[in-house]
Amino acid sequence: MTAARFQNPVFVALDTPDLSKARELARLVRGAAGGLKVGLEFITAQGPSGIREIAAFGLPLFVDVKFHDIPNTVAGASRELVKLGAKLFNIHVSGGEAMMRASVEAARAVDPDVKVIGVTVLTSLEDRDLESVGQRSPAQDQVVRLAKLAKHSGLDGVVCSPREIAPVRAACGPDFLIVTPGVRPKGADLADQRRVMTPGEAARAGADIVVIGRPITMAPDPAAAARAIAAEIAQLA
Ligand code: C5P
């Protein structure tokens, strides 16, 4: 962990389209998590009022919205998203420098503390998929290239998989936020995650925020599961 930016770096992914389920999970983990995350499924089902409601729980809300459009459109969308209460949100770095700068400027005008995070290469893409869309492989080199561009364009950090934490940290320095999904406590069900690290390994490698869904949301006691993960990371501080 590079800096104590987030006292509790565990963000819980509320991966559901259902408002009452999201609300219940948010209530359960409120005292144990460092933040909450909603993604496209929830956003599409519940819209602005759903985002506003989850933001009102008082934990920093990461809206995993992955904007990618022309600068003017992304600037407008970023402004509206921050008005709903997002404290972190993400945009595709491949949208280019002008798009990133426009997003950051519009978002900060609403909330100077909001964090804008870049999506580099989706982990679902293999090297041959990158080549088929005209991007250079291997994926890890492309991730580092895009992370540097994100930093140059004023973004606060990037989302990256556990195996990319160390190269991104090395390339982008200690003040660049690294947000990492694909984290699994020892002995947890991997579900569909493949290249996982434990929370402690991810923190040691340099992650600032770990985004964790099922190991917390499916646990019999989600708050206890979140607390155990935060404690494992805090031991390293
Ligand atoms: O349940 P689990 O811990 O696997 O959830 C991880 C969260 O992080 C999900 O919201 C998922 O969409 C997100 N994510 C991911 N892998 C990526 C990018 C995002 O698992 N490469």
Side-chain angles (χ1 to χ4, degrees):
M1 195 96 6
T2 49
R5 291 190 195 87
F6 294 86
Q7 262 192 344
N8 179 343
V10 179
F11 275 51
V12 180
L14 307 176
D15 288 321
T16 172
D18 185 313
L19 182 59
S20 54
K21 264 195 205 141
R23 212 188 263 143
E24 175 62 5
L25 279 167
R27 191 186 63 74
L28 286 172
V29 301
R30 179 160 35 191
L36 301 171
K37 191 203 87 158
V38 292
L40 289 175
E41 188 184 14
F42 180 86
I43 297 164
T44 307
Q46 298 302 333
S49 64
I51 296 174
R52 236 186 253 115
E53 191 171 326
I54 300 301
F57 273 85
L59 288 174
L61 179 63
F62 172 21
V63 183
D64 188 4
V65 71
K66 298 188 179 74
F67 287 143
H68 189 173
D69 208 317
I70 59 170
N72 188 54
T73 300
V74 169
S78 302
R79 185 178 305 116
E80 296 307 319
L81 188 60
V82 181
K83 283 189 202 163
L84 298 178
K87 289 291 174 197
L88 284 86
F89 68 95
N90 51 12
I91 61 179
H92 274 279
V93 178
S94 52
E97 179 173 349
M99 185 200 83
M100 289 187 273
R101 290 198 181 280
S103 173
V104 170
E105 192 187 332
R108 293 235 203 288
V110 181
D111 176 356
D113 294 327
V114 69
K115 307 288 183 208
V116 188
I117 304 294
V119 176
T120 55
V121 177
L122 296 171
T123 49
S124 50
L125 299 178
E126 315 245 353
D127 287 352
R128 64 167 184 279
D129 299 314
L130 282 187
E131 283 157 26
S132 73
V133 295
Q135 292 199 15
R136 275 188 273 167
S137 62
Q140 187 163 314
D141 293 359
Q142 181 68 353
V143 168
V144 171
R145 185 178 302 122
L146 291 176
K148 286 187 186 160
L149 177 62
K151 185 176 177 191
H152 168 79
S153 307
L155 296 202
D156 296 291
V158 290
V159 184
C160 71
S161 78
R163 66 181 173 152
E164 290 147 0
I165 299 169
V168 169
R169 178 60 71 212
C172 296
D175 297 327
F176 199 59
L177 265 185
I178 296 185
V179 179
T180 305
V183 176
R184 288 289 177 269
K186 263 205 186 68
D189 185 0
L190 295 188
D192 49 2
Q193 297 285 7
R194 291 287 168 271
R195 290 177 288 269
V196 299
M197 278 188 187
T198 66
E201 286 167 345
R204 215 172 298 123
D208 297 295
I209 291 178
V210 292
V211 173
I212 304 181
R214 289 159 291 180
I216 293 174
T217 59
M218 311 284 268
D221 182 345
R227 241 180 247 115
I229 293 169
E232 181 187 332
I233 294 172
Q235 275 179 357
L236 301 166

